[in-house]
């Protein structure tokens, strides 16, 4: 199975900060990489698919980049509603695998 | 409005069985692949299983292969997960998630609210 290594596992930031989360795949997954946000007690929500395509309604402060094995989720200016846990997911091959998550907390 | 509503969770003893359901509405169910994703208490997300639109293909995580069976009833807009030989480590909130795609890229664009499965004696 493809391993997805996400870093950091948690970070502390303030409103307005630029935040970067990385995800590394154990092998080339082409562009089959998405990012999901999960707020406490809620179901996950799709943010980005295909490395960099924003899902409908997702604010433009979110962006994704990368290729092959290394991928990045960036929040350009953190907003109060962005304090949550973020997961990457590879859908290149079964079994599909999530990263272990990055919790973005208030500094 | 797209809605996915899971049901069937509960407390079950190790070795027991449980059948989860996911009722879909607000979209053409037979046009979408479907998935189950779970989350153990305080842990991250784990993809569990996939089923194609016409049930021509099914896939499973290694952790559940041979014990869980995914199925669907397109006439009733419903997704199912039959879970047998349950273990304590299967304790989790189980989400159904709609699959969509853009070109070759797949993603889960809608999720249910989840149903809790607790395996304990």
């Amino acid at each position: 199975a493809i391993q997805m290594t996400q870093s950091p596992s948690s970070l502390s930031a303030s409103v307005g900060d630029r935040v970067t989360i990385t995800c590394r795949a154990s092998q080339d997954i082409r562009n089959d990489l998405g990012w999901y946000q999960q707020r406490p007690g809620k179901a996950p929500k799709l943010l980005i698919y295909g490395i960099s395509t924003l899902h409908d309604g997702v604010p433009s402060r979110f962006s994704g980049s990368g290729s092959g094995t290394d991928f990045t989720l960036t929040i350009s200016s953190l907003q109060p509603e962005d304090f949550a846990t973020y997961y990457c997911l590879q859908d290149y091959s079964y079994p599909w695998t999530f990263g272990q998550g990055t919790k973005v907390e208030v500094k | 409005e797209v809605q996915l509503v899971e049901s069937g969770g509960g407390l079950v003893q190790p070795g027991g069985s449980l059948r989860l359901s996911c009722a879909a509405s607000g979209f053409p169910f037979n046009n979408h692949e479907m998935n189950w994703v779970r989350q153990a208490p305080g842990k991250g997300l784990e993809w569990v299983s996939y089923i194609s639109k016409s049930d021509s293909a099914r896939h499973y995580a290694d952790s559940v292969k041979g014990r869980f069976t995914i199925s669907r009833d397109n006439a009733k807009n419903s997704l199912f997960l039959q879970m047998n030989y349950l273990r304590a480590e299967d304790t989790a909130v189980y989400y159904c998630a709609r699959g969509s795609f853009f070109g070759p890229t797949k993603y889960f664009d809608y999720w249910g609210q989840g149903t809790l499965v607790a395996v304990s004696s």
Side-chain angles (χ1 to χ4, degrees), chain B residues 59-72:
Chain B
H59 297 283
Y60 299 93
D62 290 344
S63 58
V64 307
K65 201 173 293 183
R67 300 187 300 122
F68 290 11
T69 302
I70 192 171
S71 63
R72 65 191 296 161

Side-chain angles (χ1 to χ4, degrees), chain B residues 2 16 32 35 39 45 48 52-53 55-57 61-63 66-67 71 84 99 107 117 119:
Chain B
V2 172
H32 286 268
N35 296 267
Q39 185 169 38
L45 300 172
V48 173
S52 64
K53 291 183 285 187
D55 196 8
S56 59
D62 290 344
S63 58
R67 300 187 300 122
S71 63
N84 298 330
Y107 46 89
V117 172
V119 184

